[in-house]
Amino acid sequence: MSRPGIGKVYFIGAGPGDPELITVKGKRLIEEADLILYTDSLVNPEVLRGAKSEARIEKSAGLTLEEIAGRMIDAAEQGQRVARVHTGDPSVFGAILEQAARLDAAGIPWEIVPGVSSVFAAAAVLGAELTVPEVTQTVILTRAAGRTPVPPGEELTALARHRSTLALFLSAGLMGDVRNALRQAGWEDNIAVAAVYKATWPDQVVVRSTLGRIVEDMRDAQIRSHALILAGPALDPGLRRPDGPKSRLYDPTFAHRYRRAVRAGDAPGGEEP
Ligand SMILES: C[S@@+](CC[C@H](N)C(=O)[O-])C[C@H]1O[C@@H](n2cnc3c(N)ncnc32)[C@H](O)[C@@H]1O
């Protein structure tokens, strides 16, 4: 139970960039906040537009963890409402665990408000389905090992052996390593790989490529950061054809809770259950 008079911290997903891609709840909480701390590298300041005129708004890129936590704790102790605004969804590479631990230790209540992660913004930009029936039913969200290592067993080569869709965060500057890892996992050079730089921002750049060409294509487009990489057989644009893979959900012969199966000779679509 929260102490009387104590404020609350909201970790809010700002979405990928387009200010219309924040949730209604996230927008309201920003409008109500007394202190707004936002990750300025990829949060579009447009999402802060409705903030109260008296709200304190601060960028967090230049602050340490202890400074960020200190500001949030001080404000909440004074009964203020804090919006801690993160790019995309806070739970994916958002570094919120260590912030939440400090709030817990100080007895400050907090809550996560989800956002549209760049993985889904990039898929939308590409017009892609990441889970294509009979191609893959799995998406792996990960990163290439760089200055930040990955735990044993999560090396890209090991993950890529599944041949599922890979969504790579924080990896745009490591694409040579990514290509080597995927080749080691047995991926062929014609497998689709795409990079979306600043998805949904006005200066968004999309590179549709293949494993064999992605390094050179990203170099030509001068993309070294702020990009989401999607890779795998599901990204193949050739799958989008009338006789391509399709799910059983809308198959007339496949019965489920909301539709009876149609017998051979019946009209497609079936009756409502
Ligand atoms: C610290 S992580 C934050 C991820 C974020 N929480 C999310 O859900 O998208 C930063 C990385 O996310 C990806 N990213 C975030 N926003 C992006 C955008 N608008 N377009 C492309 N990639 C983005 C990039 O890979 C970037 O290096």
Side-chain angles (χ1 to χ4, degrees):
M1 222 177 69
S2 66
R3 289 177 279 152
I6 214 86
K8 187 166 176 180
V9 174
Y10 295 90
F11 293 102
I12 300 171
D18 178 346
E20 291 193 325
L21 288 177
I22 190 168
T23 63
V24 174
K25 183 168 183 175
K27 185 172 182 310
R28 172 177 63 76
L29 289 168
I30 286 173
E31 287 165 3
E32 293 172 358
D34 305 295
L35 169 64
I36 300 172
L37 275 173
Y38 72 103
T39 56
D40 37 312
S41 54
L42 267 169
V43 167
N44 189 340
E46 284 284 309
V47 301
L48 311 180
R49 213 167 235 254
K52 296 190 286 194
S53 54
E54 66 274 25
R56 259 191 317 135
I57 303 181
E58 229 184 305
K59 300 175 178 178
S60 63
L63 301 177
T64 63
L65 169 62
E66 301 309 335
E67 288 170 335
I68 293 167
R71 279 164 174 69
M72 296 196 291
I73 292 166
D74 287 349
E77 299 251 327
Q78 292 167 43
Q80 296 184 351
R81 199 173 261 230
V82 179
R84 174 74 179 112
V85 186
H86 282 265
T87 173
D89 183 278
S91 64
V92 183
F93 296 111
I96 57 171
L97 179 70
E98 62 250 45
Q99 300 175 59
R102 278 150 185 79
L103 298 176
D104 283 343
I108 306 293
W110 54 271
E111 179 181 330
I112 299 174
V113 180
V116 176
S117 174
S118 55
V119 54
F120 303 116
V125 163
L126 292 165
E129 175 165 359
L130 304 181
T131 51
V132 175
E134 291 166 31
V135 176
T136 182
Q137 294 290 280
T138 304
V139 183
I140 296 179
L141 311 187
T142 188
R143 63 176 298 165
R147 278 199 305 165
T148 307
V150 297
E154 293 190 8
E155 298 80 12
L156 212 41
T157 302
L159 299 180
R161 290 211 174 94
H162 295 283
R163 291 178 87 90
S164 59
T165 301
L166 290 177
L168 301 176
F169 294 77
L170 299 157
S171 305
L174 298 164
M175 290 308 289
D177 296 346
V178 168
R179 177 157 68 189
N180 290 341
L182 301 191
R183 280 176 172 163
Q184 264 180 42
W187 285 33
E188 299 80 18
D189 272 4
N190 63 355
I191 290 188
V193 180
V196 184
Y197 168 81
K198 291 186 81 176
T200 79
W201 287 71
D203 53 344
Q204 159 187 295
V205 178
V206 179
V207 174
R208 292 170 198 269
S209 185
T210 58
L211 185 60
R213 293 198 331 260
I214 188 68
V215 174
E216 294 71 23
D217 288 350
M218 283 177 67
R219 190 183 304 142
D220 291 349
Q222 297 183 352
I223 300 175
R224 289 196 50 80
S225 64
H226 293 353
L228 198 287
I229 315 301
L230 286 174
L235 274 299
D236 178 357
L239 295 174
R240 205 161 69 220
R241 53 178 204 275
D243 64 340
K246 56 184 192 306
S247 87
R248 299 180 71 192
L249 188 60
Y250 301 112
D251 185 328
T253 63
F254 184 65
H256 56 70
R257 204 169 141 202
Y258 298 104
R259 197 189 55 227
R260 280 196 213 138
V262 178
R263 285 159 304 160
D266 283 357
E271 292 170 45
E272 292 278 321

